[in-house]
Amino acid sequence: MDYPSEPLSRQPSESGDEAAPLPKKFSDPDITAKGERRARVPLAGVQTLWFNTGTLCNIECENCYILSSPTNDALVYITEAEVTDYLEQIEARRAAAPARWPVEEIGFTGGEPFMNPEMIAIAEASLARGYKVLILSNAMQPMMRPRVQKGLLDLLARYGDKLTLRISLDHYSDELHDTERGKGSFAKAMEGVRWLAGHGFRLDAAGRTCWGETDAESREGYRAMFAREGVPIDAFDPARCILFPEMDEKAEVPEITTACWGILGLDPKDVMCATSRMIVKRRGADKPAVLACTLLAYDKEFELGATLKEAERPIKLNHQHCAKFCVLGGGSCTA
């Protein structure tokens, strides 16, 4: 496994002549900076198809991996018609390559999904085809608008636990949560969480691991907060209360080689890009594109084409997030 220190720009040869510059890490899709073969992940079977509903958000978080904000529309609102087209593509690909498309869940992320004016209709289109639907939300003002509340209650009445809302709660305390999302954001989020819990929606939570706490300490903090607020989430169930590793592109992380699977005792099928793909609509694009995963929305190297058929090829783990978040951090956007 490749664990180099910060690479030198040049190394002298034995003759004293300067050698060619060493390659930078994550610069070659096939070979690491140490000359080892880069790991790749074949498609094991898509279980979750993700849609980015648009990068516009009602808040601007301190360390948002996708830079969502009230002004960032680099990824524009995806439409119900565009989502429906991909839902139909799932059925076509399932007929042609059933092992590759055993999709059970449709996931929606942003930005803030409820900023998208078609979000309720989009969720309805997915639920009506029998899929489970997972919506990632900050549970703040966009979700709490009367029109959206009415739409959510209608979906709940018809589809029940087929719909899950995963609420971003960066920490169980208002102080630390607000350092990431802005003063008063925890209180506003919890207002939405209480509304959802009071109406019986299935809820998950997503937190972060950057606070210097052990996993057990974090989960106990969430447990106590959920109990106090009457929120039915099991904080000790990692599928219901997901604590994400940090994603810092400036951090020094190792490259993942083909040898790493054996060294780490990991199976490539357990990495997120083996079982998921994400659809985005770039500003100015004629049509949406299929990406390798939810974390690399802006990197064209991980854009696989416009159709699900094109997106069936293996993914080369040529990014810091592949190493730190997915392989070494064990992170996944699905449960």
Side-chain angles (χ1 to χ4, degrees):
M1 190 170 183
D2 178 20
Y3 277 96
S5 59
E6 185 66 27
L8 299 174
S9 59
R10 301 179 71 87
Q11 287 186 338
S13 66
E14 291 183 2
S15 65
D17 297 330
E18 286 191 334
L22 289 173
K24 292 182 179 180
K25 291 165 63 175
F26 302 106
S27 60
D28 187 301
D30 298 305
I31 304 296
T32 71
K34 280 194 168 183
E36 298 173 288
R37 186 178 178 187
R38 188 175 305 285
R40 60 176 60 194
V41 174
L43 186 66
V46 175
Q47 297 172 8
T48 302
L49 183 63
W50 288 91
F51 290 87
N52 187 293
T53 60
T55 41
L56 285 173
C57 188
N58 55 302
I59 57 175
E60 185 170 4
C61 295
E62 184 69 23
N63 294 297
C64 179
Y65 77 96
I66 204 169
L67 304 176
S68 297
S69 76
T71 59
N72 179 12
D73 63 347
L75 303 182
V76 298
Y77 291 146
I78 201 161
T79 67
E80 178 190 1
E82 289 164 340
V83 170
T84 297
D85 175 69
Y86 283 100
L87 297 177
E88 292 172 352
Q89 286 188 48
I90 292 174
E91 300 307 314
R93 294 313 302 155
R94 185 175 288 160
R100 291 185 170 183
W101 296 96
V103 182
E104 298 180 353
E105 178 181 66
I106 307 298
F108 298 99
T109 184
E112 168 53 47
F114 291 110
M115 296 278 285
N116 187 318
E118 298 188 39
M119 188 62 245
I120 296 297
I122 287 170
E124 160 72 18
S126 305
L127 289 161
R129 285 168 172 76
Y131 296 109
K132 295 185 293 183
V133 164
L134 173 63
I135 304 175
L136 278 53
S137 176
N138 58 39
M140 296 172 73
Q141 291 94 329
M143 192 200 76
M144 293 293 282
R145 288 174 292 172
R147 179 184 64 81
V148 175
Q149 288 181 318
K150 182 178 182 300
L152 284 171
L153 290 171
D154 180 60
L155 294 178
L156 177 64
R158 286 186 289 153
Y159 300 104
D161 281 354
K162 297 283 282 187
L163 172 65
T164 299
L165 288 99
R166 181 189 296 166
I167 309 305
S168 298
L169 297 171
D170 290 321
H171 195 258
Y172 51 82
S173 72
D174 56 355
E175 178 184 3
L176 291 182
H177 176 93
D178 286 4
T179 63
E180 173 68 18
R181 295 180 177 255
K183 186 174 178 58
S185 60
F186 184 83
K188 292 176 181 177
M190 289 310 300
E191 179 183 353
V193 170
R194 286 190 292 268
W195 182 84
L196 291 165
H199 285 90
F201 285 89
R202 178 179 170 83
L203 296 178
D204 292 347
R208 304 172 67 204
T209 61
C210 61
W211 312 112
E213 300 173 326
T214 67
D215 183 81
E217 288 170 341
S218 293
R219 294 189 182 282
E220 173 55 28
Y222 279 103
R223 183 208 64 76
M225 186 269 287
F226 292 148
R228 183 174 66 250
E229 298 288 350
V231 178
I233 298 175
D234 181 356
F236 288 93
D237 182 346
R240 301 295 308 282
C241 183
I242 302 176
L243 302 180
F244 287 121
E246 288 303 286
M247 294 179 289
D248 181 359
E249 293 191 20
K250 297 179 181 179
E252 178 68 16
V253 295
E255 296 183 277
I256 305 301
T257 72
T258 54
C260 290
W261 304 123
I263 294 171
L264 297 171
L266 294 176
D267 190 321
K269 295 194 297 293
D270 295 331
V271 179
M272 184 166 59
C273 56
T275 57
S276 67
R277 293 289 186 265
M278 183 172 78
I279 315 300
V280 305
K281 179 75 176 290
R282 302 192 190 283
R283 184 178 58 222
D286 294 331
K287 61 182 69 174
V290 188
L291 308 186
C293 79
T294 62
L295 305 180
L296 301 170
Y298 301 127
D299 194 324
K300 289 296 185 73
E301 181 180 343
F302 293 88
E303 187 169 311
L304 305 176
T307 68
L308 297 185
K309 182 178 180 180
E310 294 173 283
E312 293 178 357
R313 65 178 185 266
I315 307 303
K316 300 172 183 179
L317 301 184
N318 191 32
H319 196 279
Q320 294 95 323
H321 293 344
C322 303
K324 185 175 182 181
F325 183 89
C326 295
V327 176
L328 301 176
S332 175
C333 294
T334 60

